[in-house]
Protein backbone atom coordinates (compact mmCIF):
# COMPACT_ATOMS: atom_id res chain seq x y z
CA UNK A 1 0.00 0.00 0.00
CA UNK A 2 2.84 2.40 0.85
CA UNK A 3 4.96 1.66 -2.26
CA UNK A 4 3.10 4.23 -4.38
CA UNK A 5 4.12 6.99 -1.95
CA UNK A 6 7.90 6.36 -2.12
CA UNK A 7 9.69 9.58 -3.07
CA UNK A 8 6.59 11.69 -2.38
CA UNK A 9 5.69 14.41 0.09
CA UNK A 10 3.23 12.64 2.41
CA UNK A 11 2.19 15.56 4.67
CA UNK A 12 -1.31 15.54 3.21
CA UNK A 13 -1.52 12.26 1.28
CA UNK A 14 -1.92 9.51 3.85
CA UNK A 15 -4.67 8.96 6.42
CA UNK A 16 -2.98 7.32 9.38
CA UNK A 17 -4.49 5.14 12.15
CA UNK A 18 -4.93 6.83 15.51
CA UNK A 19 -2.98 4.04 17.25
CA UNK A 20 0.31 5.69 16.20
CA UNK A 21 -0.70 9.13 17.54
CA UNK A 22 0.08 10.91 20.79
CA UNK A 23 -2.66 12.97 22.52
CA UNK A 24 -1.22 16.29 21.39
CA UNK A 25 -1.66 18.53 18.37
CA UNK A 26 1.32 19.77 16.35
CA UNK A 27 0.52 23.28 17.60
CA UNK A 28 1.08 22.10 21.18
CA UNK A 29 4.30 20.42 20.15
CA UNK A 30 5.42 23.75 18.69
CA UNK A 31 5.01 25.22 22.18
CA UNK A 32 7.57 22.81 23.65
CA UNK A 33 10.33 25.15 22.43
CA UNK A 34 9.36 27.35 25.40
CA UNK A 35 10.29 24.81 28.11
CA UNK A 36 13.76 26.32 28.55
CA UNK A 37 12.79 29.90 27.67
CA UNK A 38 14.87 31.10 30.64
CA UNK A 39 17.89 30.68 28.34
CA UNK A 40 16.52 33.49 26.17
CA UNK A 41 16.05 35.59 29.30
CA UNK A 42 19.74 35.04 30.07
CA UNK A 43 20.66 35.94 26.49
CA UNK A 44 18.77 39.21 26.78
CA UNK A 45 20.44 40.08 30.08
CA UNK A 46 23.91 39.17 28.80
CA UNK A 47 26.22 41.94 27.58
CA UNK A 48 28.75 39.59 25.91
CA UNK A 49 27.54 39.20 22.28
CA UNK A 50 29.10 35.75 21.97
CA UNK A 51 27.62 34.41 25.19
CA UNK A 52 24.28 35.68 23.90
CA UNK A 53 24.60 33.16 21.09
CA UNK A 54 25.66 30.42 23.52
CA UNK A 55 22.45 30.88 25.52
CA UNK A 56 20.23 31.34 22.45
CA UNK A 57 21.56 28.34 20.53
CA UNK A 58 21.34 26.17 23.65
CA UNK A 59 17.68 27.15 23.87
CA UNK A 60 17.19 26.06 20.25
CA UNK A 61 18.90 22.71 20.86
CA UNK A 62 16.91 22.03 24.04
CA UNK A 63 13.85 21.23 21.91
CA UNK A 64 15.44 18.12 20.42
CA UNK A 65 15.02 16.09 23.58
CA UNK A 66 11.26 16.54 23.20
CA UNK A 67 11.01 15.92 19.45
CA UNK A 68 12.75 12.53 19.64
CA UNK A 69 9.35 11.07 20.58
CA UNK A 70 8.18 8.71 17.85
CA UNK A 71 4.43 9.12 18.42
CA UNK A 72 2.79 11.29 15.78
CA UNK A 73 0.98 14.47 16.89
CA UNK A 74 -2.43 15.27 15.39
CA UNK A 75 -2.42 17.48 12.30
CA UNK A 76 -4.09 20.76 13.31
CA UNK A 77 -7.50 21.63 11.90
CA UNK A 78 -7.52 24.83 9.86
CA UNK A 79 -8.20 27.65 12.36
CA UNK A 80 -7.14 25.55 15.36
CA UNK A 81 -5.15 27.41 18.02
CA UNK A 82 -3.08 26.72 21.10
CA UNK A 83 -2.42 29.23 23.87
CA UNK A 84 -0.16 29.15 26.92
CA UNK A 85 0.10 31.94 29.51
CA UNK A 86 1.52 30.26 32.57
CA UNK A 87 5.21 29.56 32.04
CA UNK A 88 8.03 31.90 33.06
CA UNK A 89 5.99 34.98 32.24
CA UNK A 90 5.73 33.80 28.63
CA UNK A 91 2.57 34.19 26.57
CA UNK A 92 2.51 31.75 23.64
CA UNK A 93 -0.04 31.54 20.83
CA UNK A 94 -0.10 29.30 17.75
CA UNK A 95 -2.64 29.09 14.93
CA UNK A 96 -3.03 26.80 11.92
CA UNK A 97 -3.19 29.27 9.05
CA UNK A 98 -3.18 26.87 6.09
CA UNK A 99 -4.27 23.26 5.59
CA UNK A 100 -2.80 22.51 2.12
CA UNK A 101 0.09 23.03 2.45
CA UNK A 102 0.04 22.71 6.26
CA UNK A 103 1.38 25.93 7.79
CA UNK A 104 1.31 26.94 11.43
CA UNK A 105 2.27 30.31 12.90
CA UNK A 106 3.33 31.08 16.46
CA UNK A 107 4.18 34.10 18.57
CA UNK A 108 5.55 34.22 22.11
CA UNK A 109 6.87 36.95 24.33
CA UNK A 110 7.77 38.03 27.82
CA UNK A 111 9.67 41.00 29.22
CA UNK A 112 12.95 39.80 27.65
CA UNK A 113 12.16 38.50 24.17
CA UNK A 114 9.69 38.03 21.35
CA UNK A 115 9.57 34.83 19.32
CA UNK A 116 7.97 34.49 15.89
CA UNK A 117 7.64 31.32 13.86
CA UNK A 118 6.14 30.40 10.52
CA UNK A 119 6.25 26.61 10.38
CA UNK A 120 6.01 24.63 7.17
CA UNK A 121 7.55 21.26 6.38
CA UNK A 122 8.23 19.24 3.27
CA UNK A 123 8.61 15.49 3.58
CA UNK A 124 10.11 12.75 1.45
CA UNK A 125 8.96 9.19 2.01
CA UNK A 126 11.78 6.68 1.43
CA UNK A 127 10.06 3.37 2.13
CA UNK A 128 10.98 2.54 5.72
CA UNK A 129 11.96 6.10 6.60
CA UNK A 130 10.87 9.66 5.99
CA UNK A 131 12.92 12.86 5.76
CA UNK A 132 11.37 16.06 7.12
CA UNK A 133 12.67 19.36 5.76
CA UNK A 134 11.91 22.45 7.89
CA UNK A 135 10.88 25.23 5.50
CA UNK A 136 10.03 27.46 8.45
CA UNK A 137 11.32 30.81 9.63
CA UNK A 138 12.24 31.38 13.27
CA UNK A 139 13.06 34.86 14.55
CA UNK A 140 13.88 35.89 18.12
CA UNK A 141 14.21 39.52 19.17
CA UNK A 142 16.01 40.25 22.44
CA UNK A 143 14.25 43.30 23.81
CA UNK A 144 16.99 45.08 25.75
CA UNK A 145 19.13 45.91 22.69
CA UNK A 146 16.76 44.94 19.90
CA UNK A 147 19.05 42.14 18.70
CA UNK A 148 17.37 39.92 16.08
CA UNK A 149 18.35 36.25 15.79
CA UNK A 150 17.53 33.97 12.86
CA UNK A 151 17.51 30.17 13.19
CA UNK A 152 18.00 27.55 10.46
CA UNK A 153 17.62 24.02 11.90
CA UNK A 154 18.80 20.76 10.28
CA UNK A 155 16.46 18.27 8.62
CA UNK A 156 15.00 15.42 10.67
CA UNK A 157 14.90 11.78 9.64
CA UNK A 158 12.47 9.19 11.04
CA UNK A 159 13.97 5.71 10.57
CA UNK A 160 12.30 2.29 10.76
CA UNK A 161 8.95 3.91 10.07
CA UNK A 162 7.20 0.64 9.22
CA UNK A 163 9.55 -2.19 10.20
CA UNK A 164 11.76 -2.28 13.29
CA UNK A 165 12.06 0.09 16.24
CA UNK A 166 11.27 3.63 15.09
CA UNK A 167 13.82 6.30 16.02
CA UNK A 168 14.50 9.92 15.09
CA UNK A 169 17.73 11.67 14.17
CA UNK A 170 18.56 15.21 12.99
CA UNK A 171 21.94 15.05 11.23
CA UNK A 172 23.47 18.21 9.82
CA UNK A 173 24.06 21.85 10.71
CA UNK A 174 22.06 24.23 12.84
CA UNK A 175 22.90 27.88 12.17
CA UNK A 176 21.79 30.80 14.34
CA UNK A 177 22.73 34.23 13.02
CA UNK A 178 22.67 37.56 14.82
CA UNK A 179 21.18 39.65 12.02
CA UNK A 180 22.11 42.83 13.91
CA UNK A 181 25.86 42.19 14.23
CA UNK A 182 26.67 39.38 11.78
CA UNK A 183 27.92 37.06 14.54
CA UNK A 184 26.69 33.48 14.28
CA UNK A 185 26.84 30.03 15.80
CA UNK A 186 27.21 26.88 13.70
CA UNK A 187 26.50 23.57 15.43
CA UNK A 188 26.88 20.17 13.82
CA UNK A 189 24.53 17.35 14.80
CA UNK A 190 26.48 14.13 14.46
CA UNK A 191 24.60 11.49 12.42
CA UNK A 192 23.92 8.22 14.18
CA UNK A 193 26.40 5.52 13.17
CA UNK A 194 26.49 1.78 13.63
CA UNK A 195 25.22 0.59 17.01
CA UNK A 196 24.24 4.18 17.88
CA UNK A 197 27.75 5.63 17.67
CA UNK A 198 27.76 9.42 17.70
CA UNK A 199 24.04 9.77 18.20
CA UNK A 200 22.96 12.84 20.23
CA UNK A 201 26.38 14.54 19.89
CA UNK A 202 26.51 18.24 19.00
CA UNK A 203 29.66 20.31 18.43
CA UNK A 204 30.41 23.71 17.00
CA UNK A 205 31.51 27.28 17.50
CA UNK A 206 30.28 30.81 18.01
CA UNK A 207 31.90 32.98 15.32
CA UNK A 208 32.29 36.75 15.14
CA UNK A 209 31.30 38.70 12.03
CA UNK A 210 34.76 38.00 10.57
CA UNK A 211 34.02 34.26 10.95
CA UNK A 212 36.68 33.75 13.61
CA UNK A 213 35.78 31.18 16.29
CA UNK A 214 35.25 32.71 19.73
CA UNK A 215 33.52 30.03 21.85
CA UNK A 216 33.43 26.26 21.54
CA UNK A 217 30.11 24.49 22.25
CA UNK A 218 29.90 20.74 22.79
CA UNK A 219 27.55 18.21 24.33
CA UNK A 220 24.59 15.94 23.68
CA UNK A 221 21.13 17.21 22.79
CA UNK A 222 19.52 14.61 25.07
CA UNK A 223 21.70 15.42 28.12
CA UNK A 224 23.56 18.73 28.40
CA UNK A 225 25.64 21.37 26.63
CA UNK A 226 28.91 22.99 27.66
CA UNK A 227 30.95 25.93 26.36
CA UNK A 228 34.56 27.11 26.53
CA UNK A 229 36.41 30.15 25.18
CA UNK A 230 38.77 29.33 22.31
CA UNK A 231 41.47 30.89 20.12
CA UNK A 232 41.18 31.70 16.42
CA UNK A 233 42.12 28.11 15.58
CA UNK A 234 39.23 26.80 17.63
CA UNK A 235 41.44 25.41 20.37
CA UNK A 236 40.44 25.97 24.02
CA UNK A 237 42.22 28.93 25.64
CA UNK A 238 44.76 27.99 28.33
CA UNK A 239 43.37 28.37 31.83
CA UNK A 240 39.77 27.96 30.72
CA UNK A 241 37.47 25.01 31.27
CA UNK A 242 34.21 23.67 29.95
CA UNK A 243 31.20 25.20 31.69
CA UNK A 244 27.65 23.85 31.61
CA UNK A 245 25.04 26.08 29.99
CA UNK A 246 22.05 23.71 29.78
CA UNK A 247 20.96 20.34 31.15
CA UNK A 248 17.78 18.45 30.35
CA UNK A 249 15.25 18.43 33.17
CA UNK A 250 14.33 15.18 34.84
CA UNK A 251 11.51 13.42 32.98
CA UNK A 252 8.77 11.09 34.25
CA UNK A 253 9.77 7.44 34.40
CA UNK A 254 8.11 4.93 32.04
CA UNK A 255 5.74 7.53 30.63
CA UNK A 256 3.49 5.98 27.98
CA UNK A 257 4.11 8.72 25.44
CA UNK A 258 7.62 9.68 26.64
CA UNK A 259 6.29 13.06 27.75
CA UNK A 260 8.36 15.47 29.81
CA UNK A 261 6.82 17.19 32.83
CA UNK A 262 6.50 20.30 30.65
CA UNK A 263 4.63 18.36 27.92
CA UNK A 264 2.13 17.15 30.52
CA UNK A 265 1.79 20.71 31.79
CA UNK A 266 0.98 22.29 28.42
CA UNK A 267 -1.45 19.45 27.61
CA UNK A 268 -3.45 19.87 30.81
CA UNK A 269 -6.80 21.62 31.28
CA UNK A 270 -5.61 22.56 34.77
CA UNK A 271 -3.06 24.98 33.31
CA UNK A 272 -5.36 26.30 30.56
CA UNK A 273 -5.89 30.07 30.76
CA UNK A 274 -9.24 31.57 31.68
CA UNK A 275 -11.35 32.34 28.65
CA UNK A 276 -9.66 29.57 26.66
CA UNK A 277 -10.34 29.93 22.94
CA UNK A 278 -12.84 27.34 21.73
CA UNK A 279 -10.41 26.56 18.90
CA UNK A 280 -7.71 25.40 21.37
CA UNK A 281 -6.01 22.04 20.73
CA UNK A 282 -6.77 20.80 24.25
CA UNK A 283 -10.47 20.74 23.33
CA UNK A 284 -10.12 18.41 20.34
CA UNK A 285 -12.38 15.41 21.06
CA UNK A 286 -10.07 12.99 19.25
CA UNK A 287 -7.06 14.16 21.25
CA UNK A 288 -8.98 13.99 24.52
CA UNK A 289 -10.36 10.50 23.78
CA UNK A 290 -6.86 9.22 23.00
CA UNK A 291 -5.58 10.73 26.25
CA UNK A 292 -8.28 8.76 28.08
CA UNK A 293 -7.30 5.57 26.25
CA UNK A 294 -10.44 5.29 24.09
CA UNK A 295 -8.90 4.48 20.70
CA UNK A 296 -12.24 3.72 19.05
CA UNK A 297 -13.72 7.10 19.93
CA UNK A 298 -10.45 8.86 19.10
CA UNK A 299 -10.49 7.32 15.63
CA UNK A 300 -14.13 8.16 14.94
CA UNK A 301 -13.74 11.74 16.23
CA UNK A 302 -10.62 12.21 14.12
CA UNK A 303 -12.53 11.11 11.02
CA UNK A 304 -15.47 13.38 11.94
CA UNK A 305 -13.24 16.43 12.34
CA UNK A 306 -11.48 15.73 9.05
CA UNK A 307 -14.82 15.41 7.23
CA UNK A 308 -16.05 18.60 8.89
CA UNK A 309 -12.90 20.33 7.65
CA UNK A 310 -13.58 19.10 4.10
CA UNK A 311 -17.17 20.35 4.39
CA UNK A 312 -15.87 23.79 5.42
CA UNK A 313 -13.62 23.84 2.37
CA UNK A 314 -16.52 22.95 0.05
CA UNK A 315 -18.68 25.67 1.58
CA UNK A 316 -15.93 28.28 1.25
CA UNK A 317 -15.57 27.33 -2.39
CA UNK A 318 -19.31 27.54 -2.99
CA UNK A 319 -19.50 30.93 -1.26
CA UNK A 320 -16.38 32.30 -2.90
CA UNK A 321 -14.84 32.77 0.54
CA UNK A 322 -11.19 32.49 1.46
CA UNK A 323 -10.01 31.40 4.89
CA UNK A 324 -8.51 34.27 6.88
CA UNK A 325 -6.44 33.56 10.01
CA UNK A 326 -7.63 35.38 13.12
CA UNK A 327 -4.42 36.07 15.00
CA UNK A 328 -1.83 36.17 12.20
CA UNK A 329 -1.60 37.82 8.78
CA UNK A 330 -0.16 36.05 5.75
CA UNK A 331 2.21 38.63 4.28
CA UNK A 332 3.66 39.07 0.80
CA UNK A 333 7.17 38.41 2.16
CA UNK A 334 8.83 35.30 0.74
CA UNK A 335 11.59 33.83 2.90
CA UNK A 336 14.18 31.56 1.24
CA UNK A 337 15.25 28.39 3.09
CA UNK A 338 17.72 25.65 2.09
CA UNK A 339 14.71 23.48 1.11
CA UNK A 340 12.37 25.94 -0.58
CA UNK A 341 10.62 29.29 -0.25
CA UNK A 342 8.17 30.16 2.51
CA UNK A 343 5.26 32.57 2.74
CA UNK A 344 5.86 34.47 6.00
CA UNK A 345 3.08 34.96 8.56
CA UNK A 346 3.11 37.94 10.91
CA UNK A 347 1.51 38.20 14.34
CA UNK A 348 -1.16 40.92 14.22
CA UNK A 349 -1.31 41.73 17.95
CA UNK A 350 -5.03 41.06 18.31
CA UNK A 351 -4.52 38.26 20.82
CA UNK A 352 -2.87 40.71 23.26
CA UNK A 353 -6.07 42.75 23.18
CA UNK A 354 -8.20 39.62 23.58
CA UNK A 355 -6.19 38.34 26.54
CA UNK A 356 -6.17 41.75 28.23
CA UNK A 357 -9.97 41.94 27.91
CA UNK A 358 -10.37 38.43 29.36
CA UNK A 359 -8.05 39.14 32.27
CA UNK A 360 -9.79 42.42 33.13
CA UNK A 361 -13.31 41.07 32.78
CA UNK A 362 -15.17 40.61 36.03
CA UNK A 363 -17.02 37.59 34.60
CA UNK A 364 -13.74 35.75 34.04
CA UNK A 365 -13.08 35.72 37.78
CA UNK A 366 -16.57 35.61 39.24
CA UNK A 367 -17.46 32.20 37.87
CA UNK A 368 -15.17 29.31 37.09
CA UNK A 369 -15.97 27.43 33.88
CA UNK A 370 -15.05 23.80 33.32
CA UNK A 371 -12.98 24.31 30.18
CA UNK A 372 -13.01 20.59 29.38
CA UNK A 373 -16.75 20.91 28.71
CA UNK A 374 -16.26 23.60 26.03
CA UNK A 375 -16.98 22.32 22.52
CA UNK A 376 -14.03 22.42 20.13
CA UNK A 377 -14.82 25.03 17.49
CA UNK A 378 -12.18 26.21 15.00
CA UNK A 379 -14.76 26.57 12.25
CA UNK A 380 -15.26 29.56 10.00
CA UNK A 381 -19.00 28.98 9.78
CA UNK A 382 -21.40 28.53 12.67
CA UNK A 383 -22.16 24.84 12.14
CA UNK A 384 -18.88 23.81 10.51
CA UNK A 385 -20.87 21.84 7.92
CA UNK A 386 -21.82 22.33 4.30
CA UNK A 387 -25.56 22.44 5.03
Amino acid sequence: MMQKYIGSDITSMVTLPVIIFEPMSMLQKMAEIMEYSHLLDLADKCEDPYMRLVYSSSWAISLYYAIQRTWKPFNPILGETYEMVNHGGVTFLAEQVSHHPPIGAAHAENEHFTYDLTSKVRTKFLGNSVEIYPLGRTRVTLKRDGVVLDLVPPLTKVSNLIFGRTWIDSPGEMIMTNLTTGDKVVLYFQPCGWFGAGRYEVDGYVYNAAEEPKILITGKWNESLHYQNCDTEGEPLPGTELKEVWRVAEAPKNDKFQYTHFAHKINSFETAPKGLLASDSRLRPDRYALEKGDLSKAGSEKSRLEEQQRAEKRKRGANGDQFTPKWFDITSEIHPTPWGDLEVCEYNGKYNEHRAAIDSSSTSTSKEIDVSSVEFNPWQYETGTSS
Side-chain angles (χ1 to χ4, degrees):
M1 182 186 70
M2 301 299 293
Q3 285 182 346
K4 64 181 179 179
Y5 294 116
I6 292 177
S8 301
D9 185 337
I10 60 170
T11 49
S12 58
M13 294 173 63
V14 183
T15 299
L16 297 170
V18 75
I19 195 171
I20 69 169
F21 282 67
E22 62 177 342
M24 182 181 285
S25 162
M26 180 58 78
L27 296 182
Q28 292 170 278
K29 198 155 188 172
M30 285 163 57
E32 290 192 75
I33 188 68
M34 288 295 126
E35 177 169 5
Y36 299 95
S37 60
H38 71 276
L39 291 167
L40 291 180
D41 297 346
L42 293 173
D44 183 54
K45 297 174 185 177
C46 182
E47 295 185 1
D48 184 325
Y50 309 124
M51 279 303 301
R52 246 180 209 157
L53 285 173
V54 171
Y55 289 126
S56 300
S57 60
S58 298
W59 161 79
I61 287 176
S62 70
L63 175 65
Y64 284 81
Y65 180 82
I67 65 173
Q68 68 177 319
R69 299 195 303 265
T70 54
W71 301 95
K72 185 190 181 303
F74 286 92
N75 291 336
I77 299 296
L78 184 61
E80 182 177 328
T81 59
Y82 176 75
E83 53 182 321
M84 178 188 76
V85 299
N86 53 11
H87 176 72
V90 175
T91 297
F92 176 96
L93 175 71
E95 181 178 17
Q96 191 72 3
V97 300
S98 173
H99 182 57
H100 292 313
I103 300 175
H107 174 82
E109 63 180 293
N110 68 1
E111 62 179 323
H112 293 290
F113 68 85
T114 60
Y115 161 86
D116 289 283
L117 169 70
T118 303
S119 177
K120 178 182 178 182
V121 298
R122 180 168 61 85
T123 64
K124 187 175 183 180
F125 181 57
L126 302 173
N128 198 31
S129 65
V130 62
E131 292 181 345
I132 304 169
Y133 304 93
L135 276 71
R137 190 187 80 162
T138 301
R139 291 282 169 86
V140 174
T141 301
L142 302 179
K143 290 186 174 181
R144 191 185 69 167
D145 296 330
V147 167
V148 179
L149 306 175
D150 177 79
L151 177 68
V152 179
L155 65 84
T156 293
K157 185 173 182 179
V158 184
S159 299
N160 294 343
L161 192 65
I162 301 172
F163 304 107
R165 181 178 177 274
T166 305
W167 59 280
I168 296 176
D169 199 19
S170 298
E173 286 185 341
M174 170 186 283
I175 302 174
M176 177 174 276
T177 305
N178 184 330
L179 299 179
T180 306
T181 66
D183 303 332
K184 66 180 179 180
V185 55
V186 181
L187 297 170
Y188 182 70
F189 286 61
Q190 189 77 17
C192 182
W194 288 101
F195 307 108
R199 190 183 180 197
Y200 310 118
E201 293 182 5
V202 181
D203 296 285
Y205 294 94
V206 175
Y207 297 91
N208 63 16
E211 299 193 352
E212 299 169 329
K214 304 298 291 186
I215 300 178
L216 163 71
I217 300 176
T218 185
K220 294 185 177 182
W221 52 258
N222 69 328
E223 291 183 5
S224 62
L225 291 172
H226 294 74
Y227 69 94
Q228 188 172 7
N229 291 331
C230 64
D231 59 25
T232 55
E233 301 298 321
E235 296 298 323
L237 289 176
T240 63
E241 60 183 13
L242 283 171
K243 296 180 180 179
E244 184 174 282
V245 62
W246 166 80
R247 178 170 293 275
V248 68
E250 184 179 351
K253 303 294 184 184
N254 302 316
D255 190 84
K256 179 179 180 180
F257 294 103
Q258 301 171 307
Y259 277 6
T260 63
H261 289 293
F262 183 74
H264 280 291
K265 174 182 177 180
I266 65 175
N267 212 22
S268 172
F269 284 114
E270 294 180 3
T271 58
K274 293 178 180 178
L276 182 70
L277 295 171
S279 51
D280 193 88
S281 301
R282 299 174 185 85
L283 300 171
R284 287 182 61 139
D286 50 358
R287 185 213 67 80
Y288 189 62
L290 181 60
E291 185 177 60
K292 297 302 181 183
D294 190 340
L295 269 66
S296 177
K297 184 176 182 180
S300 63
E301 289 289 354
K302 177 175 176 289
S303 297
R304 183 180 67 82
L305 289 177
E306 289 169 348
E307 176 51 40
Q308 206 164 350
Q309 183 167 230
R310 287 188 285 269
E312 279 263 304
K313 183 178 180 180
R314 290 193 296 268
K315 189 169 185 179
R316 275 197 301 274
N319 293 348
D321 293 340
Q322 184 173 357
F323 175 79
T324 302
K326 190 170 185 178
W327 312 108
F328 295 85
D329 298 327
I330 299 177
T331 71
S332 59
E333 180 182 355
I334 302 298
H335 177 70
T337 79
W339 302 283
D341 291 340
L342 171 75
E343 310 89 340
V344 175
C345 297
E346 187 176 71
Y347 176 62
N348 59 26
K350 293 179 181 178
Y351 178 77
N352 288 41
E353 301 170 10
H354 164 80
R355 178 49 50 195
I358 290 292
D359 292 342
S360 63
S361 171
S362 59
T363 59
S364 67
T365 55
S366 62
K367 183 179 181 180
E368 293 293 331
I369 299 175
D370 179 10
V371 292
S372 64
S373 65
V374 177
E375 182 179 357
F376 178 61
N377 183 12
W379 313 112
Q380 178 180 352
Y381 303 107
E382 285 298 321
T383 62
T385 68
S386 56
S387 59

